[in-house]
Amino acid sequence: MEFTVVGIPCLGINGARYSSTPKPFPSRSPRTIRKKQIVTWNAIVGNGGAESQCGWCKDRWGLSWQITPRALMDALAAGGAEAKRAFDAMMTMKRSTVAAIEAARRG
């Protein structure tokens, strides 16, 4: 399901079926660019939320969000070793950073 929150396009996914730990609500994944990614992350985590791994965080109401930089989506779409390096880098981060993803993408 696609929707918009304060002008940021989002994609709702039912992550519970793919997770070993059920989530009480489907997750929301804003498709972000660099500046909006930082603003979105800070707005969620800085207002009573909590950060987690791989770009995931929860807002103060317990809703899960995965803040996904466009650079990661582009890297994954490229496929092959480039996508694997970007994915592996993302797995080590809490908030996904564009600079780290781009560095991993280049190898």
Side-chain angles (χ1 to χ4, degrees):
M1 168 179 63
E2 294 186 29
F3 57 97
T4 302
V5 176
V6 292
I8 301 171
C10 297
L11 175 65
I13 57 173
N14 183 356
R17 106 172 68 150
Y18 303 107
S19 172
S20 60
T21 311
K23 294 178 178 53
F25 298 99
S27 59
R28 274 107 343 239
S29 181
R31 297 177 185 169
T32 60
I33 56 175
R34 196 176 305 216
K35 179 129 176 96
K36 284 185 181 177
Q37 174 201 2
I38 295 166
V39 170
T40 304
W41 180 272
N42 290 344
I44 293 170
V45 173
N47 286 295
E51 61 182 19
S52 187
Q53 289 297 115
C54 308
W56 285 97
C57 57
K58 280 190 178 183
D59 63 25
R60 63 181 165 188
W61 299 282
L63 298 175
S64 296
W65 298 82
Q66 186 177 33
I67 311 300
T68 309
R70 188 175 310 258
L72 178 59
M73 301 304 292
D74 292 345
L76 296 176
E82 183 177 331
K84 181 172 180 359
R85 287 191 305 269
F87 181 82
D88 290 346
M90 180 268 305
M91 293 294 288
T92 68
M93 299 179 220
K94 286 194 176 190
R95 183 182 80 184
S96 299
T97 62
V98 172
I101 290 166
E102 289 174 347
R105 192 174 180 182
R106 289 189 300 271

